[in-house]
Every structure is written in C-alpha cells, then in structure tokens.
C-alpha cells in the first residue's frame, strides 16, 4: 500500500477530492506522502517540545521533495502515573500505540513515516508499528531533559523520589524536599538519567533506526531541531533506496542493541521492549541471550541512577556512537548492519571518538567486565527475571534474607513507610505482573523509599511487576511465571529465605521441595474484577519473559 494506490488513476478521483478538501495541491499529491507520527501532548514533560520537533521534520520532508502529513500517537507520563492505578495504563499503551499507528499508516497509504516519540512506551510502541507497516521509517525523539541541581550537585527524577524516602525517614526537612521538587526537573525532555525513555531512544541508534544523537542531544538544544530536519530529509533518501525497517532491524541488529544496552547500563525495561519489537520483526529473543552477551560486554557507562553522570554529559562525551566505537575495538558489534543513514553501522561510527573517559570508560578500563543487565533464573523464576546489575551496590550482588510478602505495591509502600522493613529483608511484591496487575506496574516509589531511608545496602526487592529505569539497588523484576499465572512467587510466605546471586544469575526460594509441592498443590491464584481495556489486555498478554506481547 502506498500513495499510488489511493491517488493515481481515474478510479482514485474520489480520494483526490478528499485530498483537495485538505488543501493539498496536485503537486503535493504527486510527491511521496510522509506520515509524521506526533506523540505531542500537554501532560508529558518529555513531549512539551514535540510540536517544534514535528514542525522541523515537516520542513525537512518538504525540502527533500516529500509531502508531510501529521497524525497523533498517545502517551502516558510514567512519572505522573507512578504509584497509583494510572501506572496500570503505562505498559499497556505500548500496544495501543502500535495498533493505532499501524491502522493510520496502512489506511492512508503513506509512502514513508517519521516517528516522533519521547517517553517510555512511545519509542517501543512506534518501533513495533514500524516493523508491522514496513515502509521507510526514521525515528527522531524529543531529546532528554537537562539535569537539575540541588546543593551544587546534579539531580534527576530518581533523586526526587529518593528525597521523599529521605523525608519520610526524617533525614531532610520539608523545605529541602520542596527545593528538590522545584529544581529536579528544570526543562522539557525525557528525564535526565538513563531511564527507560532515554534507554530506548539510545537504542534506536544502536538498532539503526535513529540518526546520530537521537538518544542524547538535549531537548532544549538547537541541534535537536537540526536533527529533526535531517530526519525528514533522511526518510526521503530511504524511499529512494527502498530501505525498510525490516531491512534494518535484523537479528544481528538486535544483538547490537543488546550489546549497547549492556555497555550503557540501560533500564531493565529494555528487556521487555527489545523482545517485543523483535517479535514484530519475526525474530525471537530468548532472555538467556542477554547473559551470553553480558558475559563478553563491558559496562562502560554509569549514568544516573547508577552513577553521577547524566544524558547531557553522555552527549558531550560523544554519545551512543562513541560507545559503539569503543565496543567495536573488541569486535563486539556487527558493523555491516544497515541503518537509516543508508550506510552501515561501521561507516556511521568511524571517527566517533570517546571525548570523556570518565563518562564513557575506555573498553580496556570498564566499570565492570560484564554488562549492565543480568537475567536470573532459579525455582523462583524458572522463565527468568531481570535486574540492572550496574545499579546494584557491591555488597548486595549476593544476598540472602527473609521474605516480607505483599500482594500489591500499595501494601508494600505502607509497610516501608511504617518502618516495618528491616536490614536483611527481601521485599516480595506479587500480583503486579502483566496479567496480574494487570499492566505490570513500575514500582519506583517503594524502591526509592528503600534507598532514601538508607536501606539500599541491606534490603532487596523482588516482583513479578517491573521497576522504573530510575530504580537503583538490588531490585529484581519480571519474575516469570507471575503469581497470577500460577508462578512459585504466589506461594512465598513471610520469613521464607530467598537467595539472590546476581553474578551467578540465580534466584532461589530456600524452602524444602516437599513443602513447595504441597503449597503449589493447594495454590489458587487471586483474581481481580476487571473491565474495559485492562480486561482485554489481561486476557491476551504473555509473561514478562516473553516481552509482555499480546497473543
């Protein structure tokens, strides 16, 4: 399906009449129609500038001889949705975004697409749509937020959530909390650490679907506007060369993305989104491949929340291409993969040197010899679970302690606020998975409270839900199978000993097998009364280990 199917020939005169109703001239109708998918709205801070990005893309398309036409995509702000029912609607929008974009693109015969996302589920949702529609497509995001500053130190959204924990523990005053509130998020853009939005925008560069700087040029920089114009021009070049998303997003490209993911120390949510995007390309990504890649991929970056550097500093250091150039020194990337530049990864990263060895460690001197994400298995997670290893304190890489079990995030948060969580505990939050939540809520509130109260070096958290990219600490999510699907996490009791071995990729419930067999024999998962979209989603969604795709 393309413009010719709806514009050319006498039989399409009715269609042309409707284009005239839009004010499109015959000259515009004769050029390639480029759909610009705008995620702009007035509730997501990361989308506040997308109207300007979209206008720049329009100019780029027009300058290169195309006819730009804008249509919308929805977006949820994970930060605003955090900690309440709204978070049930975050992950589920990934599929709404993919479905609605597919429908708009195929119904109207666009010759090419430029995707303009920014925050968490827009990027993977639109990548899924790009794979389905498979017309020439370029991604250009709204860019990251600049870091805030409190007491002379840079801050990001994770600092804000942890400040709430510090206030609850009596460690800071209400006035200091107010200062964090007013200074932590100083500009538009996706939050300034290596959280999910920035992780996925960086990975568009690694996949080959975004131009250089798409993941790192700050939202408020004029270079972001120039990038958007170049994206509009680039899609026209892709049409000329007939380069499509599935030509770019090959199995080798996904392995490149996972490798860059490990080097950057991206959000654990990338382990939901990359498998889901690959699924749309007809490629299966087993979680175990993450450990195989991690074993040979050094972690080169410790951006917030793992460290004290931010997206603006990654950009100044050379960005994603500089990271990829470092990785190429050890032959860790497939350099022959095609990209939206029309060139290969190897051609793109040539000469992109690392300008700051504190922000991007040289490949010979990494933060660690293994990657930033680990997949853990064991009787508690036979299908897998995920942890951001690069954001775990060394003393918590191996931990064993008694379980404190909660059947929802709110109950866990109340217990943490009431001081009921003690050093050594393993907090277990269940019935928050894709099906059981439903929607697999991110749980930044409890993780930040733990860190803010000073318990990050002694308390672990485990859930069949997921954690925000802003989460740090021994926080293990995506436990599969989930409680609602009859997983062992559903029969864990207070006081059961849980063993965590992140270097050994193990997550075990230390209860005799005979006792576990008895518990599972009598186990009936809890159910919830659902309606609307969440009811349909819960009926169709797979587990976290499969990327929470809809079956």
């Amino acid at each position: 399906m393309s413009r010719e199917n709806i514009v050319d020939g006498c039989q399409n005169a009715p269609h042309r009449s409707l284009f005239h109703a839009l004010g499109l001239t015959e000259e515009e109708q004769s050029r390639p129609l480029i759909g610009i998918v705008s995620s702009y709205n007035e509730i997501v801070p990361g989308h506040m500038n997308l109207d300007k990005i979209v206008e720049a893309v329009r100019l780029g398309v027009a300058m290169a001889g195309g006819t730009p036409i804008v249509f919308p995509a929805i977006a949820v702000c994970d930060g605003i949705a955090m900690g309440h029912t709204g978070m049930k609607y975050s992950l589920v929008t990934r599929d709404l975004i993919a479905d609605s974009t597919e429908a708009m693109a195929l119904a109207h015969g666009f010759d090419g697409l430029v995707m303009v996302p920014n925050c968490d589920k827009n990027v993977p949702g639109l990548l899924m749509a790009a794979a389905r529609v498979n017309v020439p497509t370029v991604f250009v995001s709204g860019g990251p937020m600049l870091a805030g500053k409190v007491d002379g130190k840079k801050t990001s959204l994770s600092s804000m959530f942890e400040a709430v924990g510090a206030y609850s523990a009596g460690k800071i005053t209400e006035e200091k909390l107010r200062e964090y509130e007013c200074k932590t998020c100083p500009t538009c853009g996706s939050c300034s650490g290596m959280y999910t939005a920035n992780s996925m925008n960086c990975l568009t560069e690694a996949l080959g679907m975004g131009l250089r700087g798409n993941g790192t040029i700050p939202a408020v920089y004029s270079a972001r506007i120039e990038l958007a114009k170049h994206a509009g021009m680039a899609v026209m070049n892709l049409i000329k060369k007939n380069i499509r998303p599935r030509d770019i997003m090959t199995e080798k490209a996904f392995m490149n993305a996972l490798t860059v993911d490990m080097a950057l120390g991206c959000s654990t949510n990338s382990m939901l989104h990359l498998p889901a995007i690959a699924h749309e390309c007809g490629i299966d990504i087993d979680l175990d491949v993450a450990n195989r890649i991690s074993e040979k991929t050094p972690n080169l970056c410790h951006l917030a929340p793992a460290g004290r550097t931010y997206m603006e500093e990654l950009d100044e250091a050379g960005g994603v291409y500089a990271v990829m150039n470092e990785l190429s020194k050890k032959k860790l990337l497939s350099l022959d993969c095609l990209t939206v530049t029309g060139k290969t990864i190897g051609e793109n990263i040539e000469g992109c040197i690392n300008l700051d060895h504190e922000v991007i460690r040289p490949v010979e001197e990494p933060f660690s010899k293994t990657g930033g994400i680990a997949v853990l298995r064991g009787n508690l997670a036979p299908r897998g679970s995920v942890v951001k290893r690069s954001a775990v304190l060394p003393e918590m890489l191996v931990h064993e302690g008694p379980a404190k079990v909660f059947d929802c995030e709110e109950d866990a948060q109340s217990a943490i606020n009431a001081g009921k969580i003690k050093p050594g505990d393993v907090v277990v939050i269940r019935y928050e998975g894709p099906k059981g939540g439903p929607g697999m809520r991110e749980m930044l509130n409890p993780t930040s409270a733990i860190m803010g109260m000073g318990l990050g070096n002694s308390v672990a958290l485990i859930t069949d839900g997921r954690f925000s990219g802003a989460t740090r600490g021994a926080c293990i999510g995506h436990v599969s199978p989930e409680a609602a699907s009859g997983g062992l996490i559903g029969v864990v009791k207070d006081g059961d000993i849980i063993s965590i071995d992140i270097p050994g990729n193990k997550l075990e419930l230390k209860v005799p097998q005979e006792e576990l067999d008895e518990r599972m024999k009598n186990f009936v998962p809890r159910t919830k009364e659902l309606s609307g979209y969440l009811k349909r989603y819960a009926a169709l969604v797979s587990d976290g280990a499969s990327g929470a795709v809809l079956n």
Side-chain angles (χ1 to χ4, degrees):
M1 187 70 176
S2 63
R3 180 190 56 81
E4 287 87 352
N5 299 113
I6 60 172
V7 172
D8 290 354
C10 293
Q11 75 278 6
N12 285 324
H15 303 80
R16 293 195 297 274
S17 73
L18 293 170
F19 279 121
H20 283 297
L22 290 168
L24 292 179
T25 65
E26 290 182 5
E27 291 83 357
E28 287 173 300
Q29 293 179 44
S30 69
R31 298 168 183 164
L33 297 181
I34 307 301
I36 303 175
V37 187
S38 171
S39 302
Y40 174 76
N41 63 50
E42 294 184 343
I43 190 64
V44 182
H47 293 199
M48 180 178 167
N49 64 324
L50 292 192
D51 55 341
K52 295 177 178 61
I53 301 296
V54 167
E55 187 56 34
V57 173
R58 287 172 63 99
L59 286 171
V61 168
M63 284 191 291
T67 298
I69 299 177
V70 179
F71 65 87
I74 63 167
V76 166
C77 175
D78 279 22
I80 294 173
M82 194 72 65
H84 55 88
T85 299
M87 182 46 72
K88 294 179 185 290
Y89 288 90
S90 171
L91 179 62
V92 305
T93 63
R94 186 185 71 182
D95 295 275
L96 281 175
I97 291 162
D99 292 349
S100 59
T101 302
E102 173 195 355
M104 286 293 290
L106 292 180
H108 299 104
F110 290 107
D111 297 288
L113 297 169
V114 180
M115 307 295 198
V116 187
N118 213 23
C119 293
D120 291 13
K121 307 310 166 294
N122 280 135
V123 190
L126 291 178
L127 281 165
M128 290 163 68
R132 292 183 196 173
V133 177
N134 202 36
V135 297
T137 302
V138 178
F139 275 69
V140 56
S141 76
M145 185 184 292
L146 294 179
K149 188 170 283 189
V150 175
D151 297 331
K153 296 180 180 178
K154 287 187 175 182
T155 60
S156 58
L157 187 64
S158 52
S159 313
M160 182 69 250
F161 276 88
E162 289 178 19
V164 174
Y167 172 72
S168 298
K171 294 188 173 187
I172 63 172
T173 64
E174 187 174 351
E175 289 74 19
K176 179 58 69 176
L177 181 65
R178 173 70 174 165
E179 184 181 357
Y180 271 96
E181 178 184 335
C182 293
K183 294 181 177 179
T184 292
C185 299
T187 74
C188 61
S190 48
C191 296
S192 56
M194 188 53 80
Y195 310 150
T196 305
N198 290 327
S199 294
M200 294 308 302
N201 280 325
C202 286
L203 293 182
T204 63
E205 295 188 53
L207 273 172
M209 292 297 293
L211 299 175
R212 182 183 182 183
N214 185 49
T216 59
I217 297 172
V220 295
Y221 284 13
S222 297
R224 176 63 55 180
I225 300 297
E226 293 183 33
L227 181 73
K229 291 175 184 175
H230 283 129
M233 298 177 203
V235 75
M236 297 302 296
N237 184 50
L238 292 179
I239 288 172
K240 289 174 186 173
K241 294 185 175 183
N242 194 28
I243 297 174
R244 299 167 182 260
R246 288 184 216 163
D247 300 324
I248 295 170
M249 291 193 287
T250 62
E251 185 171 0
K252 289 198 296 184
F254 281 102
M255 295 306 105
N256 280 347
L258 282 167
T259 301
V260 174
D261 187 327
M262 296 298 172
L264 287 172
C266 290
S267 163
T268 52
N269 285 314
S270 64
M271 298 309 299
L272 279 176
H273 300 322
L274 287 175
I277 300 160
H279 177 76
E280 298 293 348
C281 296
I283 298 166
D284 289 326
I285 293 181
D286 187 289
L287 280 186
D288 286 337
V289 75
N291 285 341
R292 293 196 294 273
I293 289 176
S294 181
E295 285 171 6
K296 61 182 182 180
T297 305
N299 178 223
L300 304 182
C301 299
H302 265 191
L303 293 123
R308 296 185 178 276
T309 53
Y310 296 83
M311 295 304 297
E312 63 210 64
E313 289 155 309
L314 178 59
D315 188 62
E316 292 164 6
V320 176
Y321 276 21
V323 173
M324 295 173 78
N325 199 10
E326 287 289 343
L327 294 171
S328 71
K329 294 175 183 177
K330 289 208 168 184
K331 302 190 185 325
L332 294 171
L333 297 173
S334 296
L335 299 180
D336 59 344
C337 289
L338 196 59
T339 74
V340 291
T341 65
K343 300 178 180 179
T344 65
I345 286 286
E347 291 173 306
N348 286 348
I349 67 174
E350 187 176 354
C352 297
I353 61 172
N354 178 359
L355 300 174
D356 190 333
H357 290 186
E358 294 302 312
V359 178
I360 304 171
R361 289 281 182 89
V363 74
E364 302 85 5
E365 302 172 29
F367 284 102
S368 66
K369 292 182 179 180
T370 53
I373 289 177
V375 173
L376 313 185
R377 290 187 188 265
N379 67 349
L380 198 50
R383 284 185 47 76
S385 61
V386 182
V387 62
K388 188 170 183 173
R389 172 165 43 192
S390 60
V392 179
L393 292 170
E395 57 267 39
M396 289 300 291
L397 289 170
V398 177
H399 179 76
E400 190 167 289
K404 291 286 182 67
V405 183
F406 305 95
D407 284 347
C408 65
E409 178 189 359
E410 288 82 357
D411 290 351
Q413 187 68 46
S414 296
I416 294 167
N417 292 344
K420 295 180 180 179
I421 305 303
K422 306 300 181 186
D425 285 347
V426 178
V427 177
V428 177
I429 308 175
R430 61 195 180 194
Y431 292 104
E432 291 287 5
K435 186 181 297 291
M440 206 177 187
R441 286 194 288 181
E442 286 186 348
M443 284 173 265
L444 182 56
N445 279 349
T447 62
S448 298
I450 290 290
M451 296 302 295
M453 291 176 173
L455 294 171
N457 62 350
S458 60
V459 171
L461 293 93
I462 294 173
T463 182
D464 52 9
R466 62 195 177 99
F467 295 114
S468 166
T471 288
R472 63 189 178 106
C475 301
I476 300 163
H478 311 191
V479 169
S480 300
E482 61 179 292
S485 296
L488 191 65
I489 191 173
V491 299
V492 179
K493 295 182 178 180
D494 283 342
D496 286 350
I497 300 300
I498 293 176
S499 173
I500 300 165
D501 180 359
I502 294 173
N505 305 116
K506 290 287 186 182
L507 180 61
E508 294 280 345
L509 179 61
K510 300 291 221 177
V511 172
Q513 189 60 48
E514 299 79 14
E515 170 68 14
L516 293 180
D517 290 343
E518 189 64 26
R519 291 187 195 180
M520 291 299 290
K521 185 169 67 175
N522 299 311
F523 175 43
V524 178
R526 289 179 50 189
T527 58
K528 298 176 181 177
E529 288 294 323
L530 300 171
S531 61
Y533 181 50
L534 290 182
K535 183 175 182 178
R536 298 196 300 277
Y537 184 86
L540 297 173
V541 71
S542 70
D543 62 18
S546 302
V549 298
L550 299 186
N551 295 315

